[in-house]
Amino acid sequence: NAGVMQNPRHLVRRRGQEARLRCSPMKGHSHVYWYRQLPEEGLKFMVYLQKENIIDESGMPKERFSAEFPKEGPSILRIQQVVRGDSAAYFCASSPRGTESSNYGYTFGSGTRLTVV
Amino acid sequence: QQQVKQSPQSLIVQKGGISIINCAYENTAFDYFPWYQQFPGKGPALLIAIRPDVSEKKEGRFTISFNKSAKQFSLHIMDSQPGDSATYFCAASIRTGNNRKLIWGLGTSLAVNP
């Protein structure tokens, strides 16, 4: 029973390139959350998705960032034309149910550390 | 009003001592308060959680104390061990429309000296 799988673990991109971060939720989990963590800071919510639906993207920057969770395959966080300020750890979490679960705790992946050079 | 304020930012404790991390909130609509533990290079992992109708919850060496009237809650780690050295985040869960959102504290970096 694998946990939340994120890949790659480390990603280096030059300014202006695209970054694609992948997240496979735990088996049976249909809710995915993306968070960004800057050094010495807490986690900042970015987006909450269910299969084929974006439920809450209030934490996503308006430009260059997008996320999807297709019917088949992992959830993808895509950052276009990366800048140095995008360097951070990006964590994905999944849960079996969103609002009705009695356990509101999420299961996190180990993150993708993006470095923009 | 949706903030969760966490203190201290960093904490150094001797082995065997008690580590105490505090969090405060304003919004009384929060109805679930989890604590997460994060080791370097790993994602946060749920450690222990409490609902506001309970004043204390204990799991092993970890205890949450909850003061609903003061809108504060704290994590106590008894008999702290070097293996407890990690970053600890408090959070608060709130229903927003048809969804739920976790609001996070900024974290406390705990170092337990051997």
Side-chain angles (χ1 to χ4, degrees):
Chain A
N1 184 16
V4 177
M5 303 302 292
Q6 286 189 252
N7 65 82
R9 289 295 307 274
H10 300 274
L11 181 62
V12 179
R13 284 288 178 265
R14 295 187 183 279
R15 280 181 298 170
Q17 290 185 319
E18 178 180 286
R20 280 184 177 243
L21 288 62
R22 287 176 290 278
C23 169
S24 297
M26 283 186 70
K27 187 176 180 181
H29 287 194
S30 58
H31 299 255
V32 166
Y33 311 80
W34 284 93
Y35 286 83
R36 177 163 62 177
Q37 185 175 38
L38 291 166
E40 317 242 334
E41 292 190 14
L43 289 122
K44 300 294 185 185
F45 168 79
M46 299 182 74
V47 62
Y48 162 36
L49 310 104
Q50 294 179 31
K51 287 281 187 181
E52 300 184 280
N53 282 308
I54 296 175
I55 307 302
D56 181 353
E57 56 181 348
S58 58
M60 288 278 272
K62 294 285 186 281
E63 297 176 348
R64 301 187 298 107
F65 285 72
S66 63
E68 63 177 9
F69 189 15
K71 187 176 180 181
E72 301 292 337
S75 175
I76 305 287
L77 179 67
R78 182 182 177 203
I79 311 172
Q80 295 177 292
Q81 300 174 335
V82 296
V83 300
R84 288 222 170 101
D86 297 332
S87 296
Y90 291 84
F91 289 97
C92 168
S94 72
S95 66
R97 288 175 289 180
T99 61
E100 301 306 319
S101 173
S102 60
N103 173 12
Y104 303 130
Y106 306 151
T107 301
F108 279 86
S110 292
T112 293
R113 276 137 191 92
L114 172 66
T115 303
V116 179
V117 297
Chain B
Q1 208 187 20
Q2 286 211 1
Q3 285 184 326
V4 175
K5 296 182 180 179
Q6 184 172 348
S7 63
Q9 188 175 3
S10 62
L11 181 61
I12 300 174
V13 173
Q14 292 299 120
K15 180 182 176 182
I18 302 174
S19 304
I20 301 174
I21 304 170
N22 301 300
C23 286
Y25 63 98
E26 288 295 324
N27 193 338
T28 55
F30 289 132
D31 59 2
Y32 180 77
F33 301 87
W35 284 88
Y36 283 82
Q37 179 188 55
Q38 183 179 27
F39 292 106
K42 299 290 186 183
L46 180 64
L47 185 64
I48 186 173
I50 198 168
R51 297 184 186 282
D53 54 349
V54 176
S55 61
E56 185 175 282
K57 183 173 182 180
K58 185 175 181 179
E59 290 184 3
R61 295 185 294 108
F62 299 90
T63 300
I64 300 178
S65 297
F66 190 87
N67 186 330
K68 189 174 182 178
S69 61
K71 290 185 277 189
Q72 295 174 348
F73 58 110
S74 59
L75 175 69
H76 295 234
I77 306 174
M78 311 300 287
D79 187 26
S80 299
Q81 299 297 312
D84 297 330
S85 298
T87 300
Y88 292 82
F89 293 95
C90 63
S93 178
I94 185 170
R95 181 183 289 271
T96 57
N98 290 327
N99 306 308
R100 279 200 164 267
K101 186 173 288 187
L102 268 182
I103 309 298
W104 295 76
L106 292 181
T108 296
S109 177
L110 170 66
V112 180
N113 290 333

Short mmCIF file of all heavy atoms in Angstrom, two decimals, chain B residues 78-109:
data_model
loop_
_atom_site.label_atom_id
_atom_site.label_comp_id
_atom_site.label_asym_id
_atom_site.label_seq_id
_atom_site.Cartn_x
_atom_site.Cartn_y
_atom_site.Cartn_z
N MET B 78 6.50 15.02 26.04
CA MET B 78 7.13 14.62 27.30
C MET B 78 8.37 13.78 27.01
O MET B 78 8.44 13.10 25.98
CB MET B 78 6.13 13.80 28.13
CG MET B 78 4.75 14.42 28.26
SD MET B 78 4.79 16.04 29.03
CE MET B 78 5.12 15.56 30.72
N ASP B 79 9.32 13.82 27.94
CA ASP B 79 10.53 13.00 27.80
C ASP B 79 11.09 13.13 26.38
O ASP B 79 11.29 12.13 25.66
CB ASP B 79 10.21 11.54 28.13
CG ASP B 79 11.43 10.64 28.17
OD1 ASP B 79 12.53 11.16 28.45
OD2 ASP B 79 11.28 9.43 27.91
N SER B 80 11.32 14.35 25.95
CA SER B 80 11.76 14.61 24.57
C SER B 80 13.04 13.84 24.26
O SER B 80 13.95 13.72 25.09
CB SER B 80 12.00 16.11 24.38
OG SER B 80 10.80 16.83 24.59
N GLN B 81 13.07 13.31 23.05
CA GLN B 81 14.21 12.50 22.59
C GLN B 81 14.84 13.15 21.35
O GLN B 81 14.16 13.85 20.59
CB GLN B 81 13.73 11.10 22.24
CG GLN B 81 13.12 10.34 23.41
CD GLN B 81 14.14 10.11 24.52
OE1 GLN B 81 15.27 9.67 24.27
NE2 GLN B 81 13.76 10.42 25.75
N PRO B 82 16.12 12.88 21.11
CA PRO B 82 16.76 13.43 19.89
C PRO B 82 16.00 13.08 18.62
O PRO B 82 15.96 13.87 17.68
CB PRO B 82 18.15 12.79 19.92
CG PRO B 82 18.43 12.58 21.37
CD PRO B 82 17.10 12.20 21.98
N GLY B 83 15.37 11.92 18.59
CA GLY B 83 14.57 11.52 17.43
C GLY B 83 13.33 12.35 17.22
O GLY B 83 12.69 12.27 16.16
N ASP B 84 12.98 13.17 18.22
CA ASP B 84 11.83 14.08 18.07
C ASP B 84 12.24 15.36 17.34
O ASP B 84 11.37 16.19 17.01
CB ASP B 84 11.27 14.47 19.44
CG ASP B 84 10.72 13.27 20.21
OD1 ASP B 84 10.25 12.31 19.56
OD2 ASP B 84 10.77 13.30 21.46
N SER B 85 13.52 15.55 17.11
CA SER B 85 13.99 16.75 16.43
C SER B 85 13.39 16.81 15.03
O SER B 85 13.61 15.93 14.20
CB SER B 85 15.52 16.77 16.34
OG SER B 85 16.09 16.78 17.64
N ALA B 86 12.60 17.83 14.79
CA ALA B 86 11.85 17.96 13.55
C ALA B 86 11.17 19.32 13.56
O ALA B 86 11.30 20.08 14.52
CB ALA B 86 10.79 16.85 13.43
N THR B 87 10.45 19.62 12.50
CA THR B 87 9.61 20.82 12.47
C THR B 87 8.18 20.40 12.73
O THR B 87 7.69 19.43 12.14
CB THR B 87 9.73 21.54 11.12
OG1 THR B 87 11.08 21.93 10.92
CG2 THR B 87 8.86 22.80 11.11
N TYR B 88 7.53 21.11 13.61
CA TYR B 88 6.15 20.80 14.00
C TYR B 88 5.23 21.92 13.53
O TYR B 88 5.51 23.10 13.73
CB TYR B 88 6.05 20.62 15.51
CG TYR B 88 6.78 19.38 15.98
CD1 TYR B 88 8.16 19.41 16.18
CD2 TYR B 88 6.11 18.18 16.19
CE1 TYR B 88 8.85 18.26 16.58
CE2 TYR B 88 6.79 17.04 16.59
CZ TYR B 88 8.17 17.09 16.78
OH TYR B 88 8.84 15.96 17.15
N PHE B 89 4.15 21.51 12.90
CA PHE B 89 3.17 22.48 12.42
C PHE B 89 1.83 22.22 13.11
O PHE B 89 1.36 21.08 13.16
CB PHE B 89 2.95 22.33 10.91
CG PHE B 89 4.13 22.70 10.07
CD1 PHE B 89 5.02 21.75 9.64
CD2 PHE B 89 4.34 24.03 9.69
CE1 PHE B 89 6.11 22.09 8.85
CE2 PHE B 89 5.42 24.38 8.91
CZ PHE B 89 6.31 23.41 8.49
N CYS B 90 1.22 23.27 13.61
CA CYS B 90 -0.18 23.16 14.01
C CYS B 90 -1.03 23.61 12.83
O CYS B 90 -0.55 24.32 11.94
CB CYS B 90 -0.48 24.00 15.25
SG CYS B 90 -0.26 25.78 15.03
N ALA B 91 -2.25 23.17 12.82
CA ALA B 91 -3.17 23.55 11.76
C ALA B 91 -4.58 23.58 12.32
O ALA B 91 -4.84 23.05 13.40
CB ALA B 91 -3.07 22.57 10.58
N ALA B 92 -5.45 24.20 11.57
CA ALA B 92 -6.86 24.26 11.96
C ALA B 92 -7.70 24.04 10.71
O ALA B 92 -7.40 24.59 9.65
CB ALA B 92 -7.18 25.60 12.60
N SER B 93 -8.72 23.23 10.87
CA SER B 93 -9.55 22.88 9.72
C SER B 93 -10.87 23.63 9.80
O SER B 93 -11.48 23.76 10.86
CB SER B 93 -9.81 21.37 9.72
OG SER B 93 -10.66 21.00 8.65
N ILE B 94 -11.33 24.10 8.65
CA ILE B 94 -12.57 24.86 8.59
C ILE B 94 -13.34 24.46 7.34
O ILE B 94 -12.76 24.20 6.29
CB ILE B 94 -12.29 26.38 8.60
CG1 ILE B 94 -13.58 27.17 8.67
CG2 ILE B 94 -11.46 26.80 7.38
CD1 ILE B 94 -13.37 28.66 8.93
N ARG B 95 -14.64 24.37 7.50
CA ARG B 95 -15.48 24.09 6.33
C ARG B 95 -15.68 25.41 5.58
O ARG B 95 -16.04 26.42 6.16
CB ARG B 95 -16.82 23.52 6.77
CG ARG B 95 -17.74 23.16 5.62
CD ARG B 95 -19.08 22.68 6.13
NE ARG B 95 -18.97 21.36 6.74
CZ ARG B 95 -19.10 20.23 6.07
NH1 ARG B 95 -19.32 20.25 4.77
NH2 ARG B 95 -19.01 19.07 6.69
N THR B 96 -15.45 25.34 4.28
CA THR B 96 -15.67 26.51 3.43
C THR B 96 -16.58 26.09 2.28
O THR B 96 -16.15 25.40 1.36
CB THR B 96 -14.35 27.08 2.87
OG1 THR B 96 -13.68 26.04 2.15
CG2 THR B 96 -13.45 27.57 3.98
N GLY B 97 -17.83 26.47 2.35
CA GLY B 97 -18.78 26.03 1.35
C GLY B 97 -18.91 24.52 1.41
O GLY B 97 -19.21 23.95 2.46
N ASN B 98 -18.68 23.85 0.28
CA ASN B 98 -18.77 22.39 0.25
C ASN B 98 -17.43 21.72 0.52
O ASN B 98 -17.31 20.51 0.40
CB ASN B 98 -19.28 21.94 -1.13
CG ASN B 98 -20.74 22.30 -1.33
OD1 ASN B 98 -21.50 22.30 -0.37
ND2 ASN B 98 -21.10 22.64 -2.55
N ASN B 99 -16.45 22.52 0.87
CA ASN B 99 -15.11 21.95 1.02
C ASN B 99 -14.56 22.26 2.40
O ASN B 99 -15.17 22.96 3.19
CB ASN B 99 -14.18 22.56 -0.04
CG ASN B 99 -14.72 22.40 -1.42
OD1 ASN B 99 -15.06 21.30 -1.82
ND2 ASN B 99 -14.82 23.49 -2.16
N ARG B 100 -13.40 21.68 2.64
CA ARG B 100 -12.67 21.94 3.88
C ARG B 100 -11.31 22.50 3.52
O ARG B 100 -10.74 22.17 2.48
CB ARG B 100 -12.51 20.67 4.70
CG ARG B 100 -13.72 20.34 5.49
CD ARG B 100 -13.41 19.43 6.63
NE ARG B 100 -14.53 19.46 7.56
CZ ARG B 100 -14.59 20.26 8.60
NH1 ARG B 100 -13.59 21.08 8.85
NH2 ARG B 100 -15.64 20.25 9.38
N LYS B 101 -10.79 23.31 4.40
CA LYS B 101 -9.47 23.88 4.18
C LYS B 101 -8.68 23.77 5.48
O LYS B 101 -9.23 23.96 6.56
CB LYS B 101 -9.58 25.33 3.74
CG LYS B 101 -8.26 25.98 3.35
CD LYS B 101 -8.50 27.37 2.77
CE LYS B 101 -9.11 27.30 1.39
NZ LYS B 101 -9.20 28.63 0.75
N LEU B 102 -7.41 23.46 5.35
CA LEU B 102 -6.50 23.45 6.49
C LEU B 102 -5.72 24.76 6.48
O LEU B 102 -5.11 25.11 5.47
CB LEU B 102 -5.52 22.28 6.41
CG LEU B 102 -5.87 20.97 7.10
CD1 LEU B 102 -4.72 19.99 6.94
CD2 LEU B 102 -6.19 21.17 8.56
N ILE B 103 -5.74 25.46 7.59
CA ILE B 103 -4.95 26.66 7.76
C ILE B 103 -3.76 26.30 8.65
O ILE B 103 -3.95 25.76 9.74
CB ILE B 103 -5.77 27.80 8.41
CG1 ILE B 103 -7.09 27.99 7.65
CG2 ILE B 103 -4.97 29.09 8.44
CD1 ILE B 103 -6.93 28.39 6.20
N TRP B 104 -2.57 26.62 8.18
CA TRP B 104 -1.36 26.15 8.85
C TRP B 104 -0.66 27.25 9.63
O TRP B 104 -0.62 28.41 9.21
CB TRP B 104 -0.37 25.63 7.80
CG TRP B 104 -0.85 24.41 7.08
CD1 TRP B 104 -1.78 24.36 6.09
CD2 TRP B 104 -0.43 23.06 7.29
NE1 TRP B 104 -1.96 23.07 5.67
CE2 TRP B 104 -1.15 22.26 6.38
CE3 TRP B 104 0.49 22.47 8.15
CZ2 TRP B 104 -0.97 20.87 6.32
CZ3 TRP B 104 0.67 21.08 8.08
CH2 TRP B 104 -0.06 20.31 7.17
N GLY B 105 -0.07 26.86 10.76
CA GLY B 105 0.89 27.71 11.42
C GLY B 105 2.20 27.69 10.65
O GLY B 105 2.37 26.89 9.72
N LEU B 106 3.12 28.56 11.02
CA LEU B 106 4.36 28.69 10.28
C LEU B 106 5.42 27.66 10.69
O LEU B 106 6.48 27.59 10.08
CB LEU B 106 4.94 30.10 10.42
CG LEU B 106 4.12 31.19 9.74
CD1 LEU B 106 4.78 32.54 9.91
CD2 LEU B 106 3.91 30.89 8.26
N GLY B 107 5.15 26.90 11.73
CA GLY B 107 6.06 25.83 12.10
C GLY B 107 7.00 26.20 13.23
O GLY B 107 7.32 27.37 13.46
N THR B 108 7.42 25.18 13.97
CA THR B 108 8.40 25.31 15.04
C THR B 108 9.48 24.28 14.81
O THR B 108 9.19 23.08 14.70
CB THR B 108 7.76 25.07 16.42
OG1 THR B 108 6.79 26.08 16.68
CG2 THR B 108 8.82 25.07 17.52
N SER B 109 10.69 24.75 14.71
CA SER B 109 11.82 23.85 14.54
C SER B 109 12.33 23.42 15.91
O SER B 109 12.81 24.24 16.69
CB SER B 109 12.94 24.55 13.77
OG SER B 109 14.06 23.70 13.65
#
